[in-house]
Amino acid sequence: MVSRTYSMEEVNNVTEFIFWGLSQNPEVEEVCFVVFSFFYMVILLGNLLIMLTVCSGNLFKSPMYFFLNFLSFVDICYSSVTAPKMIVDLLVKKKTISYVGCMLQLFGVHFFGCTEIFILTVMAYDRYVAICKPLHYMTIMDRERCNKMLLGTWIGGFLHSIIQVALVVQLPFCGPNEIDHYFCDVHPVLKLACTDTYIVGVVVTANSGTIALGSFVILLISYTVILMSLRKQSSEGRRKALSTCGSHIAVVIIFFGPCTFMYMRPDTTFSEDKMVAIFYTIITPMLNPLIYTLRNAEVKNAMRKLWARKVSWETTGK
């Protein structure tokens, strides 16, 4: 194998990256622009509505809605790291991003993505305590403990993402600079490095894969235990628990399926990766408000009260 050496100028000559985007067909890009603009508006409005409902409907005191509120906030941040740039790029021929912008985007994707994984795990624990230990629920899930768990999700997300970025920024990039994706992710960027990235790829896979698969397994075990324990519940309690857990399980499958496919494999990329990434960067944040709202009577009631209050305020205002 022939070794290659690069001067500092050659190593640092990549100042920007070029995305291939979702498609090179202008007509397809126009359709995608309309579709994903609509999706992003649904993400913003849907998750903001959840946050407004939780905060104004006096649901914030409940641990489940406390975490749901922050899940909606993370969904907005997570999708905003990639969606606006992708939507704008659909209208331009040359889709570029600066080196610094690429590293920041990579950090944001993994920071908010990992934080969402940990919040979903905490929400599963919350449902486990609520259903399996109902008499001790408010003692175990008091506000102080909820705050500590929430802080833990943010710290965990930060540590994960800072490791990913630290592994990438120390690599030399001397060209080519074209990324076959619509945002900066670890595996596509590693392909452009002017050095052997096998070790880095293994560490990246171990870091991301362990978190994605490990959390997925924990969630599956948690919900299996919860579902088995429902046999002891009354029919009404079983129905309510199934309604709540059903929405959580749906979100977990939609989010973790694509994540596990992307990050539990060696440092390789496939042409399907862009389509798979859409599921966890756009589709899941868009579906979360719909799933939690349609499957949850308490949230729907709070939204009705919020709407009634708005109508009443407008009537009295006039």
Side-chain angles (χ1 to χ4, degrees):
M1 185 176 179
V2 180
S3 61
R4 295 184 296 176
T5 57
Y6 300 92
S7 67
M8 188 60 67
E9 289 78 12
E10 288 176 315
V11 166
N12 293 334
N13 70 355
V14 172
T15 58
E16 68 176 18
F17 294 102
I18 300 172
F19 293 133
W20 285 12
L22 290 174
S23 173
Q24 279 76 52
N25 187 323
E27 293 180 357
V28 173
E29 286 187 320
E30 288 176 6
V31 174
C32 287
F33 174 79
V34 175
V35 171
F36 288 111
S37 295
F38 173 74
F39 283 176
Y40 186 55
M41 288 302 297
V42 172
I43 290 170
L44 294 180
L45 295 176
N47 284 289
L48 283 171
L49 180 59
I50 290 282
M51 293 171 66
L52 183 62
T53 302
V54 170
C55 293
S56 63
N58 206 27
L59 299 175
F60 208 70
K61 296 175 183 178
S62 167
M64 183 175 79
Y65 297 111
F66 172 79
F67 292 119
L68 177 59
N69 181 69
F70 284 99
L71 178 66
S72 293
F73 174 72
V74 170
D75 275 336
I76 290 174
C77 297
Y78 186 36
S79 59
S80 296
V81 173
T82 59
K85 169 68 176 166
M86 179 195 72
I87 291 167
V88 171
D89 281 347
L90 288 168
L91 296 180
V92 298
K93 190 171 183 180
K94 189 177 182 182
K95 314 171 200 317
T96 62
I97 187 170
S98 68
Y99 175 86
V100 174
C102 183
M103 295 303 109
L104 287 174
Q105 191 177 57
L106 192 153
F107 175 84
V109 166
H110 284 267
F111 175 55
F112 292 113
C114 188
T115 301
E116 175 151 347
I117 286 174
F118 290 143
I119 289 179
L120 289 171
T121 306
V122 169
M123 290 176 75
Y125 175 72
D126 169 72
R127 289 302 85 203
Y128 165 77
V129 176
I131 293 169
C132 299
K133 300 182 180 180
L135 298 178
H136 304 284
Y137 177 62
M138 293 312 297
T139 304
I140 296 173
M141 299 297 293
D142 60 11
R143 181 45 57 90
E144 183 181 358
R145 182 163 296 178
C146 287
N147 286 332
K148 287 179 179 178
M149 287 194 289
L150 182 66
L151 178 62
T153 64
W154 289 105
I155 293 174
F158 178 80
L159 292 176
H160 162 73
S161 54
I162 206 71
I163 290 171
Q164 301 292 76
V165 173
L167 290 168
V168 175
V169 294
Q170 48 88 30
L171 296 173
F173 293 94
C174 51
N177 65 337
E178 295 185 353
I179 300 175
D180 185 14
H181 216 305
Y182 63 89
F183 69 91
C184 286
D185 204 358
V186 180
H187 291 314
V189 173
L190 286 182
K191 287 181 68 177
L192 304 181
C194 300
T195 187
D196 183 15
T197 59
Y198 176 76
I199 301 293
V200 174
V202 169
V203 176
V204 164
T205 301
N207 184 12
S208 297
T210 302
I211 291 173
L213 185 62
S215 299
F216 191 30
V217 171
I218 290 171
L219 286 164
L220 288 178
I221 293 172
S222 299
Y223 284 118
T224 300
V225 172
I226 290 171
L227 293 174
M228 289 177 65
S229 69
L230 290 179
R231 291 178 295 180
K232 303 174 185 177
Q233 301 278 342
S234 64
S235 58
E236 177 62 24
R238 194 182 302 123
R239 186 195 62 78
K240 188 175 180 181
L242 279 172
S243 176
T244 303
C245 289
S247 60
H248 289 211
I249 293 170
V251 170
V252 166
I253 292 172
I254 294 170
F255 184 76
F256 279 91
C259 276
T260 304
F261 171 79
M262 290 290 290
Y263 298 111
M264 262 309 294
R265 65 178 196 237
D267 182 25
T268 54
T269 57
F270 300 115
S271 57
E272 297 82 9
D273 286 353
K274 289 182 280 190
M275 296 300 107
V276 174
I278 286 172
F279 273 92
Y280 59 84
T281 59
I282 294 177
I283 302 299
T284 302
M286 181 183 69
L287 291 181
N288 276 355
L290 297 173
I291 291 171
Y292 284 110
T293 303
L294 295 175
R295 299 277 301 180
N296 195 302
E298 211 168 351
V299 174
K300 285 191 282 189
N301 289 334
M303 284 184 174
R304 289 191 194 101
K305 290 178 183 177
L306 182 65
W307 178 256
R309 196 184 311 165
K310 178 181 180 293
V311 172
S312 174
W313 181 82
E314 288 179 350
T315 304
T316 54
K318 290 178 181 178

